[in-house]
Amino acid sequence: MIRAGVVGATGYAGAELVRLLSGHPGAQVAAVGSRSSAGKPLSEIYPAYYRLCDKVCGPEDEVIAKSDVVFAALPSGLSQELAAKCREAGKAFVDMGADFRLKREEDYQTWYKGKFVFPDLHEEAVYGLPELFRGKIRGGKLVANPGCYATAVPLALAPALEAGLASSEGIVADCASGVTGSGRKPTQNTHFAELNESMTAYKAGCHRHTPEMEQTLRAVTGKDVSLTFVPHLLPVSRGILATCYARLAPGATMEQVRAAYEARYGKEFFIRLLPEGRAADIKNVRLSNFCDISLHLDRRTGTLIAVSALDNMVKGAAGQAVQNMNLMFGLEETAGLTAMPPAF
Amino acid sequence: MIRAGVVGATGYAGAELVRLLSGHPGAQVAAVGSRSSAGKPLSEIYPAYYRLCDKVCGPEDEVIAKSDVVFAALPSGLSQELAAKCREAGKAFVDMGADFRLKREEDYQTWYKGKFVFPDLHEEAVYGLPELFRGKIRGGKLVANPGCYATAVPLALAPALEAGLASSEGIVADCASGVTGSGRKPTQNTHFAELNESMTAYKAGCHRHTPEMEQTLRAVTGKDVSLTFVPHLLPVSRGILATCYARLAPGATMEQVRAAYEARYGKEFFIRLLPEGRAADIKNVRLSNFCDISLHLDRRTGTLIAVSALDNMVKGAAGQAVQNMNLMFGLEETAGLTAMPPAF
Amino acid sequence: MIRAGVVGATGYAGAELVRLLSGHPGAQVAAVGSRSSAGKPLSEIYPAYYRLCDKVCGPEDEVIAKSDVVFAALPSGLSQELAAKCREAGKAFVDMGADFRLKREEDYQTWYKGKFVFPDLHEEAVYGLPELFRGKIRGGKLVANPGCYATAVPLALAPALEAGLASSEGIVADCASGVTGSGRKPTQNTHFAELNESMTAYKAGCHRHTPEMEQTLRAVTGKDVSLTFVPHLLPVSRGILATCYARLAPGATMEQVRAAYEARYGKEFFIRLLPEGRAADIKNVRLSNFCDISLHLDRRTGTLIAVSALDNMVKGAAGQAVQNMNLMFGLEETAGLTAMPPAF
Amino acid sequence: MIRAGVVGATGYAGAELVRLLSGHPGAQVAAVGSRSSAGKPLSEIYPAYYRLCDKVCGPEDEVIAKSDVVFAALPSGLSQELAAKCREAGKAFVDMGADFRLKREEDYQTWYKGKFVFPDLHEEAVYGLPELFRGKIRGGKLVANPGCYATAVPLALAPALEAGLASSEGIVADCASGVTGSGRKPTQNTHFAELNESMTAYKAGCHRHTPEMEQTLRAVTGKDVSLTFVPHLLPVSRGILATCYARLAPGATMEQVRAAYEARYGKEFFIRLLPEGRAADIKNVRLSNFCDISLHLDRRTGTLIAVSALDNMVKGAAGQAVQNMNLMFGLEETAGLTAMPPAF
């Protein structure tokens, strides 16, 4: 059994990771860490876990010592030092935060106002989007788990762009996320009475996942891709829906587009390309590691509309982290991630 | 007091109209009509109205006879004959359905599979979007009340396009609507357990409000405008959020854009152009006739992001119908529509 | 026009009061006060009010000076001094908090851990539940606005107990409230992701509204009434549903019970006794000052089940406060409170 | 592997059973049946199951033939004949409907207007509430799976009544259920726009689960128990919260009560007796087979308040059915039911 440690276990992503690992056939939660709730059992924070995970939150160093792999669910900027400690201790590391996602330090400086403290760690870090970069993740020791939107949008667009069937200019990624994406800390705009019956855009055109999406699509296509990304906050708990718009290339047909997606994703367990006539819905992937994708065409304007749906806490965070762990340790890639999404 | 009749009063738009008219200082509900609930008091369908509107649903002819103005909230295709009857009886008519919205019969045929039964009525019909076509509505006898999305999107885009500050090509209108937009009839996808925690696109690139939006923007700009429109269904009761993307014209600045919106809408009571830094939210316009608009810029791609929010049942249906009635009868345009939206 | 001032205007009850007063034909908001948001326009806190109530929050003394009547929406314990200031300034005062609700100081000490600072003010204070104590409120200068649960439960039970048709022992009041009842301040258990899809009891058997309910029922029946009260928190924004259980008196019939309710409430505008076969629903009273009541019988156990529904922010707070103001100033009791509840 | 067949697989309880069985280590879904959707893959009805359970719905006889155990999720009255067929074919049978729950035919006639078609089958049928009647279920061939409310209420009350610590008269069971309890068929009152922001009581004092609860408590205590039961419909998808009120017996203390619950449930995996100070919440048991119970005291009236929370689709239906299957076939009782409930 792989011993897994979770630093930042009391945040939503950390707690979800504990839930997923608890059902994993080849791994187990060895230790949980939290600064804010040190000394408290995790089930005091999350009563749903009562008697199922009553482990007490301890300090980071203890988590590292007890684990073969350390997952970090920390605010931006706090993972670099932890990654260094893990490397020193010879432990695998999966960062669920943003510290190791951007490969170009100037991007990190621009968008996160931070710098690369240990450049060699950044060199070593692998970007953990398995469906696009599986080969690099296998056997890796330091994996940067992608952002939630930065998983949904590139998965929706990659096959069309890679095959040259859609223009890499003028792309619009209009996304909506459930509220768990903004974390466990109560705020005014996530107070039930304020979010209920609400929908609004935020960080329109300036969200930090933008350069991450562009980096991924650049890696896939081999050329610069720019897109306009606007996220919205939804009154639901879980889920990201990404509605992506790209102009079809001259002469390209939807048959070709569909074939490109089937070629790319046909054997992927976690990507479900929906039959024509269906549309991806966040409801259908809840609590699962699936990413559903549906393809639509606006014939009048020649626009490809690719819609992806995933659970921001699973494929957008903890589930993908487990998928990455499976690849890092040579386990079955789907291990611990095969539970059916509930129908309602 | 203007005597108002509502045909199709048991549908959501009809019922909302009854609510708005009940607080109107210069009009009153004279009669309500419904085929499906003939002989029943409206409050039996809507217990919220118990003792407040217990009027019994009667036949269309009775509604016409008792009214100075007839509002029709009927499925597509059923309003033309009713409009003819109203003209014959000398009664003003506001159609909340789609029969008179499109001016070109070929568009109507393409999108609604119907034809213009009384061409002269279509000639006479005025498109009732007051902020853009107020002059034509004043004194009109037959008004086509716009579709909900077809109100939200043109209001968000008109000033920028009219002033030539944004490109009329490659526009994307990504919208989301509360479930009342799909009516009162229970269906599988609006069943609570299915819609709850869900979000999905529908009729991507082929929704019937598309030609209506383009018609409005063509009228405003004097040239063809094409856009890609994708609506989504939200797990909320009311509201439409329209996130519209248009490329800024070469050399255009956000200062110019903002100035154009202020010039267009500065004196409009029902349009609230939000200060910089705020984003339009459906929550803030619920149960009111306001349309909030916020403007954002994606500097990296030179894309204007104009977001509008309105209540699909009020500014997107019954409220705008009352606004049109006020104009038709020479009342204060805001009469009956000044209630503050609730804060929560 | 009566000039109304609202101290604590940025809380939910205060903000709702501003909304209701804005549509009042005989009163207007003269000033708003808030310590936490001093110097900010109210519409900065509540963007729904943008351009409709942009008044700036000022200090208490300024509110008193500008007003004929002062409404206080303050945490427990802060209203007594404010009431004294108002009396000194000759201004009417409506306390929406709990300071003046309990007539017996020992009850106040037991349940609120406070004391009566100005005993004569408590002597003077009138309990503002108009349907039961209208006569005392008329012309009053200091009114204690009832608690939300303490409005719903006594209204549901009073006629049966008063008429001796149900036992005053062994009563159970099982209630559920929307989240606005717990205020605007974000907390962990009102964070959207935690409250969504949740329902739980709180303060079971020990909520502060218990002695208030008993005091009211004692006043109505002339004898001691004890009840077991358990509130629950619901994932909805507004509304209280009170399901009250009382054993029918020997020989009492539902016909007698129904007759007693009709005698008591038949002429009350704000109480809607529902026809047999319907059940009170919080949805049907939202945003209105109505209290719907339905009566049911468990024949097998001889138990009367009286269910009341009201909007905790309106009949349970701000609406009832306006109703009290109307009585205090000799206005029509329903002034400003006649808007129909929305059907959806 | 036990081959399990599900008749009525397209209803909510049937679909949930398919989900649970898909993760069961010792059983698998061998066949699914549905009259309304015959010939369609289950995943066409529930797109969440796409590629995970694409089995095609077949006729009952085929389901019986392919299975070792048949689960029936059918409307009242349709299970008796199916049970007879299963007995004839030598297959185990778990009825998730109501046909075999009531042991006294007169009760069945009174509450369900039906009769016992095969009296010996009713003789043989075992009531499948494992925590109270485990011994009888082990090795059984025909199990009546309890109603959802009829699981929640007896589990909340049994230990106190069994130990004589609370009165068996004057009990009130006030319950609230998520909407999946009323099934998949869309109706007006479960239409999203009607149920959202709503709460109402239904079948107050006359719900069919009442005699079932009394039967269970009679079996546990050995004497007649009568209770008043009122269910409410909640705007959430899953969950039942049962708030039960019973007068403490003279001299009884909460320490004794708590001890009785610990003695009864201390070793039960699926019952979590919560620590003092916590309250049972439907959120914490979602998607799991747990039943959380919290105990509270109203000291003033000497009333025990026992609150239980369970997922109406799992412990209230499909999960308990699997638990019963495990007992019937001699598997580990918790097999397939150990997944942690999600924290959010």
Side-chain angles (χ1 to χ4, degrees):
Chain A
M1 292 293 262
I2 297 167
R3 296 170 304 152
V6 183
V7 176
T10 57
Y12 282 163
E16 183 73 350
L17 188 58
V18 167
R19 179 179 77 85
L20 292 172
L21 288 169
S22 79
H24 197 291
Q28 61 187 13
V29 177
V32 292
S34 165
R35 287 182 194 175
S36 58
S37 303
K40 288 188 189 166
L42 187 61
S43 58
E44 193 176 315
I45 314 298
Y46 295 105
Y49 293 180
Y50 182 54
R51 283 193 0 204
L52 305 171
C53 182
D54 297 323
K55 277 189 201 304
V56 173
C57 297
E60 273 178 27
D61 289 345
E62 193 180 300
V63 175
I64 297 174
K66 290 184 174 174
S67 308
D68 300 315
V69 55
V70 173
F71 294 88
L74 298 173
S76 288
L78 301 183
S79 288
Q80 300 190 56
E81 202 171 348
L82 181 60
K85 281 187 188 179
C86 286
R87 184 176 53 173
E88 200 173 338
K91 305 301 174 79
F93 184 70
V94 179
D95 186 20
M96 300 166 77
D99 288 13
F100 293 97
R101 291 175 187 160
L102 297 178
K103 303 310 280 182
R104 300 196 296 217
E105 188 168 7
E106 64 267 31
D107 286 343
Y108 189 67
Q109 283 170 336
T110 301
W111 293 87
Y112 290 90
K113 312 296 171 206
K115 56 179 185 177
F116 284 4
V117 184
F118 307 101
D120 54 333
L121 279 178
H122 288 272
E123 199 68 35
E124 183 193 336
V126 176
Y127 188 74
L129 191 42
E131 285 77 10
L132 299 179
F133 309 112
R134 180 172 289 118
K136 294 185 182 168
I137 303 166
R138 279 211 181 92
K141 293 284 282 180
L142 167 46
V143 168
N145 211 53
C148 48
Y149 292 119
T151 297
V153 170
L155 287 179
L157 289 169
L161 294 180
E162 188 180 27
L165 295 167
S167 170
S168 59
E169 287 185 1
I171 295 171
V172 167
D174 188 289
C175 297
S177 171
V179 66
T180 49
S182 60
R184 180 172 170 259
K185 194 179 150 66
T187 59
Q188 203 64 51
N189 71 327
T190 57
H191 192 45
F192 188 93
E194 316 253 331
L195 181 56
N196 187 26
E197 298 295 292
S198 152
M199 184 184 182
T200 188
Y202 66 99
K203 295 183 188 159
C206 60
H207 189 283
R208 287 170 165 183
H209 287 183
T210 311
E212 196 182 332
M213 295 173 190
E214 294 181 347
Q215 170 180 284
T216 295
L217 292 172
R218 192 167 55 236
V220 168
T221 63
K223 58 183 174 183
D224 278 351
V225 175
S226 77
L227 49 77
T228 295
F229 165 49
V230 176
H232 298 77
L233 184 60
L234 281 183
V236 305
S237 289
R238 288 165 177 263
I240 281 182
L241 194 80
T243 305
C244 304
Y245 303 81
R247 281 195 307 282
L248 277 189
T253 68
M254 275 306 275
E255 289 63 41
Q256 293 171 318
V257 169
R258 184 164 283 276
Y261 280 76
E262 273 161 7
R264 228 329 172 175
Y265 296 143
K267 294 184 179 162
E268 293 293 341
F269 181 76
F270 293 121
I271 298 190
R272 300 192 295 191
L273 191 61
L274 301 186
E276 274 193 75
R278 286 211 191 148
D281 187 330
I282 55 171
K283 176 171 209 69
N284 295 332
V285 295
R286 268 187 326 141
L287 295 149
S288 84
N289 202 49
F290 292 100
C291 174
D292 282 1
I293 296 178
S294 63
L295 302 172
H296 315 265
L297 172 68
D298 181 348
R299 287 178 201 287
R300 301 163 53 262
T301 62
T303 304
L304 168 66
I305 302 158
V307 184
S308 63
L310 53 78
D311 184 323
N312 58 309
M313 283 291 121
V314 189
K315 185 61 178 168
Q320 187 145 268
V322 171
Q323 188 180 356
N324 280 319
M325 177 194 76
N326 291 342
L327 287 168
M328 293 162 82
F329 284 79
L331 304 181
E332 186 71 31
E333 186 172 338
T334 61
L337 297 170
T338 56
M340 279 174 76
F344 43 81
Chain B
M1 290 294 263
I2 297 167
R3 296 171 305 155
V6 182
V7 175
T10 58
Y12 282 163
E16 183 73 351
L17 188 58
V18 167
R19 180 180 76 86
L20 292 172
L21 288 168
S22 79
H24 196 290
Q28 61 188 11
V29 177
V32 293
S34 165
R35 287 181 194 179
S36 59
S37 304
K40 288 188 189 167
L42 187 61
S43 57
E44 193 175 315
I45 314 298
Y46 295 105
Y49 293 0
Y50 183 54
R51 282 193 1 203
L52 305 171
C53 181
D54 298 322
K55 275 189 202 306
V56 172
C57 296
E60 273 179 27
D61 290 345
E62 193 180 302
V63 175
I64 298 174
K66 289 183 174 174
S67 308
D68 302 314
V69 57
V70 173
F71 294 87
L74 298 172
S76 289
L78 301 183
S79 288
Q80 299 190 55
E81 201 172 347
L82 182 59
K85 282 188 187 177
C86 286
R87 185 177 53 174
E88 201 174 336
K91 307 301 174 77
F93 184 69
V94 179
D95 186 21
M96 299 165 79
D99 287 12
F100 293 97
R101 290 176 188 161
L102 297 178
K103 303 309 279 181
R104 301 196 295 217
E105 189 168 6
E106 65 267 31
D107 286 344
Y108 189 68
Q109 284 169 334
T110 303
W111 293 88
Y112 291 90
K113 313 295 172 207
K115 57 179 186 174
F116 285 4
V117 184
F118 307 102
D120 54 332
L121 279 179
H122 288 272
E123 199 68 36
E124 184 193 336
V126 176
Y127 188 74
L129 190 41
E131 286 77 8
L132 299 180
F133 309 112
R134 181 171 289 118
K136 294 185 182 170
I137 303 166
R138 278 209 182 94
K141 292 284 283 180
L142 167 46
V143 168
N145 211 52
C148 50
Y149 292 118
T151 297
V153 170
L155 287 180
L157 289 169
L161 294 179
E162 188 180 28
L165 295 167
S167 170
S168 58
E169 289 183 0
I171 294 172
V172 168
D174 187 290
C175 296
S177 172
V179 67
T180 48
S182 58
R184 180 172 171 261
K185 195 178 149 67
T187 60
Q188 204 63 53
N189 72 326
T190 58
H191 192 46
F192 189 93
E194 315 254 332
L195 181 56
N196 187 28
E197 298 296 293
S198 151
M199 184 182 181
T200 188
Y202 66 99
K203 295 183 189 160
C206 59
H207 189 282
R208 288 170 164 183
H209 287 184
T210 312
E212 195 183 333
M213 295 173 190
E214 293 180 348
Q215 170 180 284
T216 295
L217 292 173
R218 192 166 56 236
V220 168
T221 62
K223 58 183 173 186
D224 278 353
V225 175
S226 77
L227 49 77
T228 295
F229 165 49
V230 176
H232 298 78
L233 184 59
L234 280 183
V236 306
S237 290
R238 290 165 175 263
I240 282 183
L241 194 80
T243 304
C244 305
Y245 304 81
R247 282 195 306 281
L248 277 189
T253 67
M254 277 304 277
E255 289 63 42
Q256 292 171 319
V257 169
R258 185 163 282 277
Y261 279 75
E262 272 162 8
R264 229 325 171 179
Y265 295 143
K267 293 182 180 164
E268 293 294 340
F269 181 74
F270 293 121
I271 298 189
R272 300 191 293 190
L273 190 61
L274 301 186
E276 274 193 76
R278 286 212 192 148
D281 187 332
I282 55 172
K283 177 170 207 71
N284 295 330
V285 295
R286 269 189 323 144
L287 295 150
S288 84
N289 202 48
F290 291 99
C291 175
D292 283 0
I293 296 178
S294 62
L295 302 172
H296 314 265
L297 173 67
D298 180 348
R299 287 180 199 285
R300 300 163 54 263
T301 62
T303 304
L304 168 66
I305 303 158
V307 184
S308 63
L310 52 78
D311 184 322
N312 57 309
M313 283 290 121
V314 188
K315 184 62 178 169
Q320 188 144 268
V322 171
Q323 188 181 357
N324 280 319
M325 177 194 77
N326 291 341
L327 287 168
M328 293 162 82
F329 284 79
L331 305 181
E332 185 72 31
E333 187 173 338
T334 61
L337 297 169
T338 56
M340 281 173 76
F344 43 81
Chain C
M1 290 295 262
I2 297 167
R3 297 170 305 155
V6 182
V7 175
T10 57
Y12 282 162
E16 183 73 350
L17 188 58
V18 167
R19 180 180 76 87
L20 292 172
L21 288 169
S22 79
H24 197 290
Q28 62 187 11
V29 177
V32 292
S34 164
R35 287 181 194 177
S36 58
S37 303
K40 289 188 188 166
L42 187 60
S43 57
E44 193 176 314
I45 314 298
Y46 294 105
Y49 292 0
Y50 182 55
R51 280 192 3 203
L52 304 171
C53 181
D54 297 324
K55 276 189 201 305
V56 172
C57 296
E60 274 178 27
D61 289 346
E62 193 179 301
V63 176
I64 297 174
K66 289 183 174 175
S67 308
D68 301 315
V69 56
V70 173
F71 294 87
L74 298 173
S76 289
L78 300 183
S79 288
Q80 299 190 56
E81 202 171 348
L82 182 60
K85 281 187 187 177
C86 286
R87 184 175 55 173
E88 201 174 337
K91 305 301 174 76
F93 184 70
V94 178
D95 186 21
M96 298 166 77
D99 288 13
F100 294 96
R101 290 176 189 160
L102 298 178
K103 303 309 280 182
R104 299 196 296 216
E105 189 168 6
E106 65 267 30
D107 286 344
Y108 188 68
Q109 283 169 336
T110 302
W111 292 88
Y112 290 90
K113 313 297 171 204
K115 57 180 186 175
F116 284 4
V117 184
F118 307 101
D120 54 332
L121 280 178
H122 289 271
E123 199 68 35
E124 184 193 335
V126 176
Y127 188 74
L129 190 42
E131 285 78 10
L132 299 180
F133 310 111
R134 181 173 288 118
K136 293 184 182 170
I137 304 166
R138 279 209 181 95
K141 292 285 282 181
L142 166 47
V143 168
N145 211 53
C148 49
Y149 292 118
T151 297
V153 170
L155 286 179
L157 289 169
L161 295 179
E162 190 180 26
L165 294 167
S167 170
S168 59
E169 287 184 0
I171 295 170
V172 167
D174 187 289
C175 297
S177 172
V179 67
T180 49
S182 59
R184 182 173 169 260
K185 194 178 151 65
T187 59
Q188 204 64 51
N189 71 328
T190 57
H191 192 45
F192 188 93
E194 315 252 333
L195 182 56
N196 187 26
E197 298 296 293
S198 151
M199 184 183 181
T200 188
Y202 66 99
K203 294 183 189 161
C206 59
H207 189 282
R208 287 170 165 183
H209 287 183
T210 311
E212 196 182 332
M213 295 173 191
E214 293 181 347
Q215 170 180 285
T216 294
L217 292 173
R218 193 165 56 234
V220 168
T221 63
K223 58 183 173 184
D224 278 352
V225 175
S226 77
L227 49 76
T228 295
F229 165 50
V230 176
H232 298 77
L233 184 60
L234 282 182
V236 304
S237 289
R238 289 165 176 263
I240 281 182
L241 193 80
T243 304
C244 304
Y245 304 81
R247 283 194 305 283
L248 277 190
T253 67
M254 276 304 277
E255 290 62 42
Q256 292 172 319
V257 169
R258 185 163 281 276
Y261 280 76
E262 273 162 8
R264 230 323 173 181
Y265 296 143
K267 294 183 178 163
E268 293 293 341
F269 181 75
F270 293 120
I271 298 189
R272 300 192 294 190
L273 191 61
L274 301 186
E276 274 193 76
R278 286 211 192 148
D281 186 331
I282 55 171
K283 177 170 208 71
N284 295 331
V285 294
R286 269 188 325 143
L287 294 150
S288 84
N289 202 47
F290 291 100
C291 175
D292 282 1
I293 296 178
S294 62
L295 301 172
H296 314 265
L297 172 68
D298 181 348
R299 287 179 201 286
R300 300 163 54 263
T301 62
T303 304
L304 168 66
I305 303 158
V307 185
S308 63
L310 53 79
D311 184 324
N312 58 308
M313 283 290 120
V314 189
K315 184 62 178 170
Q320 188 145 269
V322 170
Q323 188 180 355
N324 280 319
M325 177 193 76
N326 290 342
L327 286 169
M328 293 162 81
F329 283 80
L331 304 181
E332 186 71 31
E333 186 172 339
T334 60
L337 298 170
T338 56
M340 279 173 77
F344 43 80
Chain D
M1 290 296 261
I2 297 167
R3 297 170 304 153
V6 182
V7 176
T10 58
Y12 282 162
E16 183 73 352
L17 187 59
V18 168
R19 180 180 76 84
L20 292 172
L21 288 169
S22 80
H24 196 291
Q28 61 188 12
V29 178
V32 293
S34 164
R35 287 182 194 176
S36 58
S37 303
K40 289 189 188 166
L42 187 61
S43 58
E44 193 176 315
I45 314 298
Y46 295 105
Y49 293 180
Y50 182 54
R51 283 192 2 202
L52 304 172
C53 181
D54 298 323
K55 276 189 201 307
V56 172
C57 296
E60 273 179 27
D61 290 344
E62 193 180 301
V63 175
I64 296 174
K66 290 185 174 173
S67 308
D68 302 313
V69 56
V70 173
F71 294 87
L74 297 173
S76 289
L78 301 183
S79 289
Q80 299 189 56
E81 202 172 347
L82 182 60
K85 282 187 187 178
C86 286
R87 186 177 51 173
E88 201 174 336
K91 305 302 174 77
F93 184 68
V94 179
D95 186 21
M96 298 166 79
D99 288 12
F100 293 96
R101 290 176 188 160
L102 297 178
K103 302 310 277 182
R104 301 196 295 216
E105 189 168 5
E106 65 266 31
D107 286 344
Y108 188 67
Q109 285 171 333
T110 302
W111 293 88
Y112 290 91
K113 312 296 171 207
K115 58 178 184 177
F116 284 4
V117 184
F118 307 101
D120 54 332
L121 279 178
H122 288 272
E123 198 69 35
E124 184 193 336
V126 176
Y127 189 74
L129 190 42
E131 285 77 9
L132 299 180
F133 309 113
R134 181 171 289 118
K136 296 185 181 169
I137 304 165
R138 279 211 180 92
K141 293 285 282 180
L142 167 46
V143 167
N145 211 52
C148 49
Y149 292 119
T151 298
V153 170
L155 286 180
L157 289 169
L161 294 179
E162 188 180 28
L165 295 167
S167 170
S168 59
E169 289 184 0
I171 294 172
V172 167
D174 188 289
C175 297
S177 173
V179 67
T180 48
S182 58
R184 179 171 172 262
K185 195 178 149 66
T187 60
Q188 205 61 53
N189 71 326
T190 57
H191 192 45
F192 189 94
E194 315 253 331
L195 181 56
N196 187 27
E197 297 296 293
S198 152
M199 184 183 181
T200 188
Y202 66 99
K203 295 184 190 158
C206 59
H207 189 283
R208 287 169 164 184
H209 287 184
T210 311
E212 195 182 332
M213 295 173 190
E214 292 180 348
Q215 169 180 285
T216 296
L217 292 173
R218 192 166 55 236
V220 168
T221 63
K223 57 184 174 184
D224 278 352
V225 175
S226 77
L227 48 77
T228 295
F229 165 49
V230 176
H232 298 77
L233 184 59
L234 281 184
V236 305
S237 290
R238 290 164 176 263
I240 282 183
L241 194 80
T243 304
C244 305
Y245 304 81
R247 281 195 306 282
L248 278 189
T253 67
M254 277 304 276
E255 287 64 39
Q256 291 171 320
V257 169
R258 185 163 282 276
Y261 280 75
E262 274 162 7
R264 227 331 171 177
Y265 295 142
K267 292 182 180 165
E268 293 293 341
F269 182 75
F270 293 121
I271 297 190
R272 301 192 294 190
L273 189 61
L274 302 186
E276 275 193 75
R278 286 210 191 149
D281 187 331
I282 55 172
K283 177 171 207 69
N284 295 331
V285 294
R286 268 188 325 141
L287 295 150
S288 84
N289 202 48
F290 292 99
C291 175
D292 283 0
I293 296 178
S294 62
L295 301 172
H296 314 265
L297 172 67
D298 180 349
R299 287 179 200 287
R300 300 164 53 263
T301 62
T303 304
L304 168 66
I305 302 157
V307 184
S308 63
L310 53 77
D311 184 322
N312 57 308
M313 283 291 121
V314 188
K315 184 63 178 168
Q320 188 144 267
V322 171
Q323 188 180 355
N324 280 319
M325 177 194 76
N326 291 341
L327 286 168
M328 294 161 81
F329 284 79
L331 304 181
E332 186 72 30
E333 185 172 339
T334 61
L337 298 169
T338 56
M340 280 173 75
F344 41 82

